[in-house]
Amino acid sequence: MRNRLLSLACAAALTFSLGGCGDDAKQTSSPLAFVPADSPYVFGNLEPMPADVSQAWLAMLGELPRLYTLQLKQVRAALQREGDADPVLLGVIDGLQAEIEGKSFEQILQGFGYSMQTRIALYGLDLLPVARVELADPDATRAAIARIEAKAGQPLPTAKVGELSYWKLAPKDSELMGVMAIIDNQLVLSVAPTAADDALLKQVFGLTLPATSIVDSDGLAKLNTTYGFAPNGSGYFDLQRIWQLIAQPSTPLQSAFMRAFEFTPPELDEACKQEMAALTKAWPRSSFGYTRLDARTADMRWVTEAPAQVLSDLRSLQAPTPGLAAAKSALFNMSFAMKIDAIPPVANRWADAVAAAPWQCEFLQPMNQAFADLRTGAANPGIYAAAPVVQSFNVLLTHFKTSPEMTQPEFKGKLLIGSPSPAALVSMLKAYVPGMAALEVPADGTATALPALPDMPIALPMFAAQTEKVFGVAFGEGEDASLSAAMQMDSTLQPLMTVAYDGALYGELLGMLEPMMLAMGDDAEAKDAAEMLKVTRELYAKMFGRIAMQMVVTEQGIELLQRMEMPTTP
């Protein structure tokens, strides 16, 4: 089974590197012209990536071929260890290895006829995934295929649909196959049922065009306008359409796809049909896209539409978080904010709504108990105890260094708590923590040294400070100097949660795992895993400067915002 999965995974990966021979059919300029207007999911771009951004990304991804080379070697070794490996597949892997090893990322792209400045479309033809990518040089793609075939010692399997010749990769005993073709200047690739007939394949390759495309309907352009997405990459998951296709496969393509996965649509009674229709209507779509894309920064926004009352309830729980400005220069931060005293009214309102109209559909009925439990949980005395003293917290890691001897790593940081009553937190600290009874913490933000705590596994100097709305604790030598400034809080910024991490920290954390991986054994798989971890650590620490995410609630939906910053050039 593992061998089949590896083979299928490798075949899927190869679809992003290979293409077949196309005919002289009329070129359709945009890959999006082949996307049905009612596609259940899509990601594409109306415009290619700007030239300066593509150059910055090429520099960032420059050393990735080291990782690709290692991955191909390990996939080949795994296939051989499992036995009964397809010799053609092994030959293809060797060919890919020759195309990648010793080359820069840009050279690899050029060798396969690709460019960073291209237009793409990844979409669902019903639920079947299809990708279309513009090629900078289709002849270079064909030449790369020829070199891989030479390395493999035989041509890759081909087939025809109408006048179009395409490649197919079908692992042994698999119900699915990878299919690909070059049609004019576009590479088309998909995973299709092995038993697909010509009519289905013509849909997959775009030889049969949709009655109305997403270009005809201006679907992506309208999406960009609604959510402020840039034209360089955006898309959506249409949950209503996905449910329709799962529940009632009405097309030959969808039926063939489900048979390949041995999936039988559920038998739905009228209650289920009505409730699922209502549920997906209330939560109809998730949309995502770039909102900023330049040589230094890539911002993305993900918006999940939700009922207006749910969004209003969630906004009523929002609270300000201290230290969001200081988090921008930290190696890592994680925050969570919620008005605890507002949780019971919201939980009870939701529980009442479900109790008044409980779910009747069998596979939705567990939500009846879940919402009843929500009411019980909201009555927990701990909520009422915490509400007067805690509304948010923010953990900042400002220094982290691992040790090759696997001793405790060095670290410094801060814990910041947004509170209606920081003085109450100080009182609790004095009452319940040994050695703190005589502690006095000024209310002006001045850092005060804390007594050493007994039985602490790591001995670090600690400091505390409080202001009108924030209580803070700093850990590590010198952290007291920046504690007061870090405790600043902007009440207009109220994300439910944030997470951010620095590329250098990512490398340090992976480095901690290396000795553990080596200690697992000296067999081939353990050595491969340790080597992969080592290369990944070295590369990823250089590939990005910082990634920061936050979850907010707006009138448009529940939003996840992400910013990726390029590494700073030394």
Side-chain angles (χ1 to χ4, degrees):
M1 179 63 177
R2 184 182 177 192
N3 190 27
R4 287 180 57 193
L5 289 173
L6 279 169
S7 298
L8 184 57
C10 192
L14 292 176
T15 63
F16 286 90
S17 303
L18 306 175
C21 304
D23 60 11
D24 294 327
K26 181 180 178 181
Q27 175 178 323
T28 303
S29 62
S30 171
L32 289 168
F34 298 88
V35 180
D38 64 349
S39 179
Y41 56 89
V42 64
F43 177 80
N45 56 346
L46 297 171
E47 298 177 13
M49 183 182 293
D52 61 333
V53 178
S54 64
Q55 287 302 310
W57 282 45
L58 282 173
M60 180 184 71
L61 302 173
E63 294 190 62
L64 265 186
R66 287 178 58 198
L67 188 60
Y68 294 160
T69 299
L70 184 58
Q71 287 173 334
L72 286 171
K73 287 180 179 178
Q74 293 186 1
V75 167
R76 193 186 200 287
L79 289 171
Q80 288 182 307
R81 282 196 296 268
E82 291 291 331
D84 195 28
D86 185 342
V88 175
L89 186 56
L90 292 178
V92 169
I93 292 174
D94 291 340
L96 282 172
Q97 188 84 15
E99 292 296 313
I100 292 174
E101 196 162 15
K103 297 180 181 178
S104 70
F105 190 76
E106 186 171 14
Q107 288 172 328
I108 294 171
L109 289 182
Q110 292 173 346
F112 281 110
Y114 295 154
S115 167
M116 292 290 286
Q117 291 181 270
T118 188
R119 292 182 297 177
I120 65 171
L122 310 175
Y123 59 98
L125 195 60
D126 289 350
L127 289 180
L128 189 76
V130 181
R132 301 187 76 98
V133 182
E134 284 182 330
L135 295 172
D137 186 353
D139 289 337
T141 309
R142 295 186 178 95
I145 296 167
R147 292 192 298 270
I148 291 172
E149 288 179 324
K151 195 75 174 179
Q154 66 182 90
L156 296 176
T158 62
K160 294 189 74 173
V161 53
E163 297 300 314
L164 176 68
S165 177
Y166 66 93
W167 304 106
K168 65 176 183 177
L169 296 170
K172 186 178 179 181
D173 300 326
S174 174
E175 297 292 335
L176 297 172
M177 62 178 177
V179 297
M180 54 218 125
I182 296 175
I183 304 176
D184 299 310
N185 73 331
Q186 293 183 16
L187 175 68
V188 185
L189 31 105
S190 182
V191 178
T194 53
D197 59 22
D198 282 3
L200 299 185
L201 289 172
K202 286 181 178 180
Q203 286 183 270
V204 169
F205 288 120
L207 303 179
T208 301
L209 292 171
T212 305
S213 75
I214 201 168
V215 172
D216 298 329
S217 66
D218 282 333
L220 207 58
K222 292 175 181 176
L223 185 81
N224 293 348
T225 299
T226 298
Y227 294 111
F229 297 148
N232 313 110
S234 59
Y236 63 81
F237 288 99
D238 187 328
L239 304 182
Q240 285 185 285
R241 179 65 176 146
I242 290 172
W243 169 248
Q244 292 170 359
L245 292 168
I246 291 175
Q248 300 175 347
S250 57
T251 67
L253 181 63
Q254 183 64 16
S255 298
F257 189 58
M258 287 191 167
R259 284 196 303 271
F261 277 104
E262 299 180 353
F263 177 81
T264 301
E267 291 290 336
L268 301 176
D269 57 25
E270 193 58 35
C272 283
K273 292 177 182 177
Q274 291 180 2
E275 289 179 348
M276 284 303 302
L279 191 60
T280 55
K281 182 178 180 180
W283 300 77
R285 188 170 66 171
S286 288
S287 304
F288 47 90
Y290 289 107
T291 54
R292 174 183 173 183
L293 191 61
D294 58 40
R296 293 291 309 144
T297 305
D299 288 347
M300 289 199 74
R301 182 187 185 199
W302 185 297
V303 184
T304 297
E305 298 173 30
Q309 183 59 57
V310 171
L311 296 177
S312 177
D313 287 343
L314 290 176
R315 288 198 300 275
S316 74
L317 301 178
Q318 291 177 310
T321 299
L324 292 180
K328 294 177 182 179
S329 58
L331 289 176
F332 169 84
N333 99 279
M334 180 176 66
S335 75
F336 183 79
M338 189 169 288
K339 291 179 181 175
I340 298 178
D341 58 353
I343 292 176
V346 169
N348 291 337
R349 181 159 53 249
W350 292 356
D352 289 344
V354 173
W359 299 96
Q360 301 299 314
C361 183
E362 182 178 357
F363 64 85
L364 293 177
Q365 286 180 6
M367 288 201 291
N368 295 331
Q369 185 60 49
F371 278 94
D373 293 342
L374 183 64
R375 183 198 302 277
T376 302
N380 189 313
I383 289 181
Y384 295 94
V389 292
V390 176
Q391 286 190 340
S392 58
F393 71 84
N394 194 358
V395 178
L396 308 179
L397 184 65
T398 57
H399 172 80
F400 187 87
K401 190 69 177 178
T402 57
S403 167
E405 292 79 23
M406 291 186 67
T407 57
Q408 291 285 356
E410 300 174 359
F411 69 91
K412 299 179 184 180
K414 301 177 180 70
L415 170 62
L416 309 176
I417 300 174
S419 171
S421 178
L425 288 174
V426 174
S427 297
M428 293 171 64
L429 188 66
K430 294 170 66 174
Y432 298 111
V433 179
M436 299 288 179
L439 178 67
E440 295 296 332
V441 180
D444 60 0
T446 302
T448 300
L450 296 177
L453 296 177
D455 303 321
M456 281 287 287
I458 302 176
L460 288 175
M462 295 189 296
F463 311 87
Q466 65 168 318
T467 62
E468 184 181 359
K469 295 294 184 182
V470 181
F471 175 74
V473 179
F475 304 86
E477 192 69 41
E479 286 295 293
D480 56 322
S482 56
L483 179 56
S484 180
M487 292 168 62
Q488 299 303 308
M489 185 165 65
D490 184 346
S491 61
T492 65
L493 302 177
Q494 299 191 6
L496 291 178
M497 64 177 296
T498 70
V499 176
Y501 54 94
D502 188 279
L505 175 65
Y506 191 85
E508 289 286 340
L509 293 174
L510 289 179
M512 292 179 65
L513 299 177
E514 282 186 44
M516 290 184 277
M517 297 293 293
L518 291 172
M520 292 175 62
D522 59 356
D523 58 50
E525 287 190 76
K527 289 180 178 178
D528 284 351
E531 187 179 5
M532 178 70 75
L533 184 66
K534 179 178 183 295
V535 173
T536 302
R537 175 178 64 84
E538 293 172 354
L539 295 184
Y540 276 53
K542 302 175 184 177
M543 282 178 52
F544 64 89
R546 180 178 178 80
I547 292 179
M549 293 166 282
Q550 60 175 300
M551 180 179 291
V552 299
V553 182
T554 69
E555 292 184 356
Q556 287 188 303
I558 301 169
E559 302 193 21
L560 180 65
L561 308 176
Q562 175 182 291
R563 166 164 292 187
M564 185 183 76
E565 297 173 355
M566 297 295 182
T568 302
T569 304

